[in-house]
Amino acid sequence: QVQLVESGGGFVQPGGSLRLSCAASGFTFSVAGMSWYRQAPGKERELVAAITSGGGGTTNYADSVKGRFTISRDNAKNTVYLQMNSMKPEDTAVYYCNARWIFRGAYDYWGQGTQVTVSS
């Protein structure tokens, strides 16, 4: 069974840091493109950061987090990370881990989400 389990969410003050982890199982992690999305109350779900499955691990970020957040992956551990620095109240949202791949099919899976709250 495909599973994506997020962890590391919580409460932080503005300017603080938080590191999210997404542990993947049930599929070949190395062939999947991984990404983090977030959804705040009353807002559309948006892409925060993505990292490709290909060599080099190309990354892409939303303009709102560029320079503050970093996505990375460890294929040996089947885990993707999101390091969040200089956090702002507008970063408050539920953060979701996503996996997509088209190897011998088309697949799209989501984790259950983890709450991140940035407030003084």
Side-chain angles (χ1 to χ4, degrees):
Q1 180 182 358
V2 171
Q3 285 195 325
L4 301 172
V5 181
E6 301 97 335
S7 62
F11 182 93
V12 296
Q13 295 186 14
S17 297
L18 205 61
R19 191 191 197 197
L20 305 182
S21 298
C22 173
S25 61
F27 65 99
T28 304
F29 182 78
S30 60
V31 309
M34 303 297 298
S35 59
W36 289 94
Y37 287 74
R38 68 185 181 188
Q39 187 166 26
K43 300 292 181 63
E44 297 284 333
R45 182 162 56 185
E46 65 173 342
L47 176 67
V48 176
I51 185 166
T52 65
S53 63
T58 302
T59 58
N60 191 37
Y61 299 92
D63 288 342
S64 60
V65 308
K66 192 171 297 182
R68 300 188 297 119
F69 291 11
T70 303
I71 188 172
S72 61
R73 66 189 296 160
D74 187 337
N75 288 345
K77 296 182 178 179
N78 287 2
T79 302
V80 63
Y81 306 94
L82 184 67
Q83 178 66 49
M84 303 183 288
N85 298 325
S86 302
M87 298 188 73
K88 305 174 180 180
E90 49 263 45
D91 294 323
T92 296
V94 177
Y95 284 70
Y96 298 92
C97 179
N98 172 262
R100 292 179 178 136
W101 67 93
I102 57 173
F103 178 73
R104 299 186 65 84
Y107 303 89
D108 189 348
Y109 291 94
W110 296 86
Q112 66 179 0
T114 185
Q115 177 70 50
V116 171
T117 302
V118 186
S119 177
S120 60

